[in-house]
Amino acid sequence: MIRELRFLLRDRAAMLWIALAFILSATAVTLGLAEVRQQQAELAEIDRLDRADRAQVLSEQSDWGGAAYSTFHLTSDPPSDFAFAALGQRDVSPWKHRIRMLALEGQIYETDATNPDFALTGRFDFAFVAALIAPLLLILLLFDLRSGERAAGRLELIEASGAGAKRVWRTRTILRVGGLAVALILPLWIGGAVAGTSVFTLLAAALAVTLYLAFWAWLSRTAGSAAHTGSVNLTILLGLWLLICAVIPAMLTQAIDGAVPLPDGGDIVLTQREAVNDAWDLPKDATMSAFLDRHPEWEAQSGIDRPFEWKWYYAFQQVGDQTVEPLSRAYREGRAERDRLVGFASLVSPATALQRGLERLAETDVRASLAYEARVRDYHARLRAWHYPNLFEDRDFSVKDADGLPAFDSGDAT
Amino acid sequence: MNAAIRIAREEWRQWRRSRLAVAALTIFGVLLIVTSVLTAGDMLDARQDRLHQQAHAEATFLDQPARHPHRMVHYGHYVFRAPAPLAVFDPGVDAVTGQSVFLEGHRQNGAMFADARAQARAGGFGDLSPAALYHLFLPLLLIAIGHAVILREREARTLGPLLSQGVTGRQLYAGKSLALLAMIGLLSVPALIASLSAIPMGEPVSTALGLYAGQLLYLCVWGALIVLVSAIVRSRGVALGLLLLVWFVTALIIPRIGVTAVGTSLPADGKIVSDMRMKEDIRKAGDGHNAADPAFAQLRANMLAEYGVDTVEELPVNFRGVVASTAEARLTDTLNDYAEQRMARERAQSDGLSAFGWLSPYIAVGAASRALAGTDLATHHRFLREAEGVRFDFVQGLNAVHAEQLAYSDDINRSSDPQAERRTRVDPKNWKVLRDFRFTPDTADVRIARAADSLLALTVWLFALIGLGLWAARRMSP
């Protein structure tokens, strides 16, 4: 073992790939930490601006209806302490929303997106290095293990040593895979220590990465034979890399998206808009009775006498949301269903499994993004529940009472 | 020259005999064809859907019943961006930007419903398009097939005899390059078909062929690099390792590190932050719903003086409509300022990223390909600008109706007086202020000009590598 380790340390090509793995992992972790810090800083800045803005807006109001119309509320999904390792869905899904008490369906699909060219290129995070780059490095470390010895004329010599030969290959493979794993995981753990990640998460991530590398080591061993030259082995392994890291995931995306169609997003906002706008022309009773289906408690105060009253205005905003509820729910359930199918599919797609696992640990996956959306919906419902008594009981506006407005708790999981 | 052709032909015979080469080519060919068909299908569907949705949105707007014109300002309108014909080859930023925008008064909304957000997230490199295959993975195939073109002769000890039989190093270089070029030509056929298939959909021939030429140029850069490495390196293992390292660094690492580098050196504010900053400015511009807003005192004084009357009630036009129109114009100036700032920053970021094309041909070909296909960020920005144009026009059209066809007294009493409210509803023929919108890609010249820098980077790469190759070929020895 020690002798083999000395061999490995003297193998310049092998050390180059391991060193490269360390550098790439360290870079990915550093960039990930910087990105997370930037997101946190942006959230802190928005939070400050949001409070100042709301205080200013509330000070200009004269009634609760206007106050509810003009005040925005910040909701956010701050990065977890492991988000630096897998930024995941955060590049394409919103992690901050400012909402107000109008129909939620018109607001919740807005995305405060980054530069599309960036999202298109992708991030250099640890998940990318571990799932897509590490297998390549591993292939480069292992493809020539036996064929190289053969080319050097030593294969027969090693094989001839009988029972020992197997052990030699095994030891060499384990040392290389181990070296690669350490080179990848060490920066991750240091990053985790900086970010305050829990030990469990770090261990789970390390385990996942090690298992993934073990799979690749097994594959290289199975697919690469000593009978071929090194470059033939390498070509075959590159083909497998392409298959497992690019083709299979893309096919899964295509197949799952095809199997679970989603309602067209445009239809949701369009239907919502029609419902909200039609309400202006409908008899007020039609709106109010649809509203009372959900809120029978306001029956006594639901009479609308003038052409415009705030309680009617907010009632039809809510009815607008009610109208698209089936579509909106189908859209959410469809996304959840797609994600569930990806979960099954990851059993046959190791690259998917690792990326998904890391994103789960980092809470940057589809599930986390849907959970954030659910929290925003919850909060919006609380906002309505808080405002309705003011509107229906026709209370006088006071800035002091507005202190009681519910606040979004970015930590409250549902 | 004959010697070169003979050498190239011999190389092809070798490839045909290699099961690995034939298998790799076949698999890749199938992958290319399947991806091309699937992408083309998706894009054509999307195109049809969005053109249909656009027509539907326009019809719905025009079909609205009589109402207060300001209600139509809030009713709003949708515009859709149908993918460019060449999106069948390179969908570009389409999947990450979203292709519909809701237009309404007093607001500029962003594009909604990016596909990438709702897609099944299966990891890997995401969805594959023909462009992604060409840019990212075809170089790998070329490396696998071509890394030994010259090395093989060296390892089989046939290089010495060849050179001593009067074949010069340059002829050998030319022959091997020709063999690889023919391979590239063969592999580029699906790209050619995809490009040509866009022409019947209205794509100019120049951009269609330009897009194809860009791919060819990029693959030739790789071909030249492969022959060069094969000429100067002494063992297959080293040649493969070296070429893979170059691929690795230029295609996987530099682009993503470039994203972070540019993102950090040119940070862009999110929309929420800039919206909040903008709100400060807008407060100064005044609220167009409230004609009594002090921001309009000057306007009122001017109008009263102009018409020689004492109260707004006596004005021949509805002062509320005038206020709405003025406020919208002022507001739009501010909105446009911020939108332009945001787009300028995004453009600077994208230019910064494209500049990495001098380090990585992968970035250069991506930028060139998206620009030529009309699926780049600049095209998306133009879509946003044109959408804003549509928005401003119909809102101001409705505000003009508001000012000219409504009586001020009815307008201010409509919240309390049902009779007045009825009189403020105008005839639906006024909804014709909405103009038709069909988004088309930029003209060929504009797109070619935008791709020029990246194409230049690729050309420089190609000539530099060929120059080095010729230099190495002259010094070639067994």
Side-chain angles (χ1 to χ4, degrees):
Chain A
M1 190 83 169
I2 300 295
R3 194 189 49 170
E4 288 294 336
L5 185 62
R6 219 173 292 137
F7 278 152
L8 175 64
L9 290 175
R10 252 182 283 151
D11 184 339
R12 283 204 342 246
M15 290 315 291
L16 170 76
W17 300 128
I18 291 179
L20 190 60
F22 180 79
I23 293 168
L24 293 177
S25 172
T27 312
V29 166
T30 314
L31 295 179
L33 286 169
E35 174 63 30
V36 164
R37 255 198 305 275
Q38 200 169 325
Q39 292 187 0
Q40 281 164 341
E42 187 175 347
L43 283 181
E45 164 85 352
I46 301 178
D47 190 47
R48 197 182 56 74
L49 285 169
D50 176 68
R51 282 167 201 278
D53 178 66
R54 195 161 43 246
Q56 164 76 21
V57 168
L58 283 171
S59 72
E60 295 163 357
Q61 301 306 318
S62 54
D63 57 10
W64 281 112
Y69 183 87
S70 310
T71 13
F72 283 87
H73 303 266
L74 178 68
T75 74
S76 67
D77 182 22
S80 75
D81 54 16
F82 193 58
F84 72 90
L87 295 162
Q89 188 81 345
R90 294 177 78 84
D91 257 353
V92 282
S93 275
W95 41 272
K96 50 194 188 295
H97 269 304
R98 281 185 96 212
I99 55 161
R100 52 179 170 164
M101 220 184 88
L102 302 187
L104 183 61
E105 294 295 335
Q107 309 175 57
I108 200 152
Y109 304 106
E110 285 176 16
T111 306
D112 190 359
T114 46
N115 190 327
D117 272 349
F118 290 3
L120 195 65
T121 312
R123 291 276 176 185
F124 195 80
D125 57 5
F126 179 79
F128 169 73
V129 172
L132 304 178
I133 292 199
L136 275 176
L137 294 171
L138 190 100
I139 288 171
L140 289 166
L141 276 170
L142 296 183
F143 80 97
D144 218 12
L145 213 51
R146 278 191 294 173
S147 45
E149 292 294 353
R150 190 172 115 113
R154 287 190 301 255
L155 185 70
E156 276 75 16
L157 199 69
I158 297 174
E159 299 271 324
S161 51
K166 248 190 169 160
R167 220 177 48 224
V168 171
W169 300 133
R170 202 184 304 137
T171 314
R172 285 190 183 179
T173 308
I174 289 173
L175 278 177
R176 281 159 192 242
V177 176
L180 188 64
V182 171
L184 289 171
I185 291 166
L186 200 60
L188 181 73
W189 280 2
I190 295 172
V194 172
T197 319
S198 79
V199 175
F200 166 77
T201 305
L202 290 176
L203 285 176
L207 180 68
V209 171
T210 312
L211 283 176
Y212 184 65
L213 291 179
F215 160 78
W216 276 99
W218 168 80
L219 195 67
S220 315
R221 179 65 206 274
T222 315
S225 116
H228 295 147
T229 61
S231 57
V232 170
N233 277 340
L234 185 50
T235 308
I236 293 172
L237 288 169
L238 280 180
L240 286 171
W241 175 82
L242 191 62
L243 182 73
I244 291 171
C245 289
V247 178
I248 291 181
M251 275 169 42
L252 288 176
T253 303
Q254 191 92 33
I256 292 173
D257 286 353
V260 185
L262 291 185
D264 189 75
D267 283 348
I268 299 178
V269 273
L270 219 78
T271 312
Q272 185 267 142
R273 170 187 73 158
E274 295 298 322
V276 167
N277 276 282
D278 287 350
W280 288 91
D281 301 322
L282 287 174
K284 306 244 176 338
D285 287 349
T287 298
M288 293 319 284
S289 78
F291 174 81
L292 290 174
D293 282 348
R294 296 289 172 91
H295 288 284
E297 69 272 27
W298 298 117
E299 174 117 44
Q301 290 91 344
S302 67
I304 309 294
D305 309 319
R306 280 169 296 158
F308 182 88
E309 282 184 43
W310 280 115
K311 57 185 176 187
W312 164 70
Y313 179 82
Y314 289 106
F316 74 64
Q317 296 288 332
Q318 164 151 359
V319 172
D321 279 349
Q322 282 168 216
T323 317
V324 283
E325 221 164 49
L327 271 179
S328 158
R329 192 178 304 121
Y331 188 69
R332 269 172 286 158
E333 282 170 357
R335 279 186 292 158
E337 174 67 8
R338 283 179 174 184
D339 190 52
R340 206 172 60 84
L341 289 179
V342 174
F344 286 127
S346 64
L347 294 173
V348 296
S349 171
T352 307
L354 180 65
Q355 272 170 298
R356 199 177 149 80
L358 290 176
E359 286 178 8
R360 183 85 285 268
L361 289 173
E363 291 166 45
T364 54
D365 55 354
V366 174
R367 211 193 317 174
S369 139
L370 285 168
Y372 168 58
E373 190 180 320
R375 288 206 300 279
V376 176
R377 286 175 185 282
D378 258 18
Y379 174 67
H380 191 263
R382 278 198 287 144
L383 210 53
R384 276 180 169 152
W386 192 86
H387 272 297
Y388 284 153
N390 294 331
L391 299 168
F392 282 89
E393 289 169 8
D394 214 5
R395 294 184 191 163
D396 286 335
F397 176 78
S398 96
V399 176
K400 206 169 153 336
D401 288 348
D403 285 346
L405 272 166
F408 182 79
D409 177 5
S410 50
D412 63 355
T414 29
Chain B
M1 201 62 219
N2 271 339
I5 292 173
R6 263 202 324 275
I7 291 170
R9 225 181 250 149
E10 177 56 28
E11 192 61 39
W12 268 83
R13 203 184 340 261
Q14 290 283 345
W15 282 332
R16 274 205 302 271
R17 279 214 305 253
S18 154
R19 275 186 10 230
L20 189 68
V22 172
L25 262 177
T26 315
I27 293 171
F28 223 94
V30 171
L31 188 59
L32 264 179
I33 292 166
V34 171
T35 309
S36 299
V37 170
L38 288 177
T39 310
D42 286 353
M43 284 300 131
L44 294 178
D45 282 352
R47 203 176 149 78
Q48 191 114 40
D49 283 355
R50 295 199 208 127
L51 288 174
H52 176 76
Q53 283 171 317
Q54 186 67 68
H56 180 70
E58 278 157 13
T60 316
F61 188 93
L62 296 179
D63 280 352
Q64 291 306 303
R67 33 169 89 129
H68 191 283
H70 197 73
R71 288 268 325 287
M72 288 304 282
V73 167
H74 283 280
Y75 178 73
H77 179 50
Y78 279 87
V79 287
F80 296 86
R81 174 162 58 89
L86 282 173
V88 297
F89 180 78
D90 192 344
V93 296
D94 262 28
V96 284
T97 52
Q99 299 92 355
S100 60
V101 179
F102 178 52
L103 309 177
E104 58 184 320
H106 331 319
R107 274 171 71 87
Q108 278 180 0
N109 296 308
M112 277 193 285
F113 293 105
D115 288 346
R117 200 180 143 191
Q119 247 171 8
R121 198 175 166 76
F125 291 88
D127 237 359
L128 292 181
S129 65
L133 286 180
Y134 272 95
H135 302 165
L136 202 51
F137 300 124
L138 215 55
L140 270 185
L141 178 67
L142 289 177
I143 291 172
I145 292 181
H147 71 280
V149 277
I150 294 179
L151 266 170
R152 188 171 49 72
E153 308 277 5
R154 200 185 285 282
E155 287 186 346
R157 310 234 182 278
T158 48
L159 186 60
L162 259 176
L163 290 176
S164 62
Q165 276 163 16
V167 175
T168 65
R170 286 196 168 184
Q171 280 170 334
L172 186 69
Y173 176 81
K176 299 295 186 183
S177 300
L178 196 61
L180 214 51
L181 183 65
M183 178 64 76
I184 289 171
L186 177 69
L187 286 168
S188 71
V189 171
L192 182 63
I193 295 174
S195 303
L196 293 180
S197 73
I199 294 176
M201 289 189 276
E203 186 62 35
V205 177
S206 57
T207 39
L209 290 182
L211 181 68
Y212 172 67
Q215 314 306 317
L216 216 49
L217 191 58
Y218 172 69
L219 295 178
C220 285
V221 168
W222 276 102
L225 178 73
I226 290 166
V227 183
L228 171 69
V229 169
S230 193
I232 55 178
V233 164
R234 300 265 153 174
S235 101
R236 281 181 193 235
V238 176
L240 257 180
L242 194 62
L243 287 168
L244 283 178
L245 191 65
V246 173
W247 173 77
F248 204 63
V249 170
T250 58
L252 295 185
I253 295 175
I254 292 181
R256 289 175 184 244
I257 292 199
V259 163
T260 312
V262 171
T264 333
S265 61
L266 296 168
D269 277 336
K271 190 166 184 301
I272 293 182
V273 175
S274 71
D275 275 359
M276 279 195 274
R277 298 227 176 91
M278 185 169 64
K279 223 173 151 187
E280 275 303 311
D281 278 11
I282 289 173
R283 250 185 226 123
K284 293 174 205 149
D287 177 358
H289 289 114
N290 179 6
D293 192 299
F296 300 106
Q298 187 62 44
L299 176 71
R300 179 149 104 189
N302 289 350
M303 284 196 73
L304 294 180
E306 191 184 327
Y307 289 97
V309 292
D310 298 326
T311 60
V312 287
E313 281 82 356
E314 296 168 72
L315 285 170
V317 291
N318 176 2
F319 184 63
R320 280 198 159 194
V322 176
V323 164
S325 172
T326 313
E328 193 70 38
R330 284 188 202 166
L331 173 70
T332 301
D333 279 346
T334 314
L335 289 171
N336 283 346
D337 277 353
Y338 276 85
E340 286 300 333
Q341 276 172 30
R342 208 168 39 236
M343 287 193 272
R345 178 42 68 103
E346 280 191 356
R347 204 163 51 237
Q349 288 183 329
S350 296
D351 289 349
L353 191 59
S354 298
F356 278 87
W358 293 96
L359 288 179
S360 154
Y362 170 78
I363 294 182
V365 74
S369 168
R370 289 195 293 276
L372 287 167
T375 55
D376 59 345
L377 185 69
T379 308
H380 180 62
H381 282 168
R382 194 169 55 82
F383 168 65
L384 295 178
R385 277 195 201 99
E386 287 185 11
E388 168 55 25
V390 172
R391 185 195 78 84
F392 187 69
D393 285 356
F394 91 78
V395 170
Q396 289 302 61
L398 290 166
N399 282 335
V401 172
H402 189 177
E404 289 155 15
Q405 301 187 18
L406 263 58
Y408 181 76
S409 54
D410 288 341
D411 209 15
I412 53 171
N413 291 323
R414 74 188 143 97
S415 289
S416 46
D417 174 5
Q419 296 295 327
E421 200 275 336
R422 208 158 300 133
R423 282 194 299 271
T424 59
R425 299 184 179 212
V426 300
D427 192 89
K429 72 174 190 302
N430 289 298
W431 308 157
K432 293 217 175 72
V433 295
L434 184 76
R435 67 175 147 101
D436 284 357
F437 179 76
R438 298 289 176 275
F439 186 74
T440 49
D442 287 301
T443 58
D445 318 351
V446 174
R447 282 189 271 160
I448 291 170
R450 217 152 50 212
D453 273 0
S454 305
L455 291 175
L456 179 68
L458 286 174
T459 313
V460 170
W461 271 90
L462 181 62
F463 281 111
L465 288 167
I466 291 178
L468 282 172
L470 287 172
W471 168 79
R474 216 172 56 195
R475 302 182 47 225
M476 196 163 350
S477 60

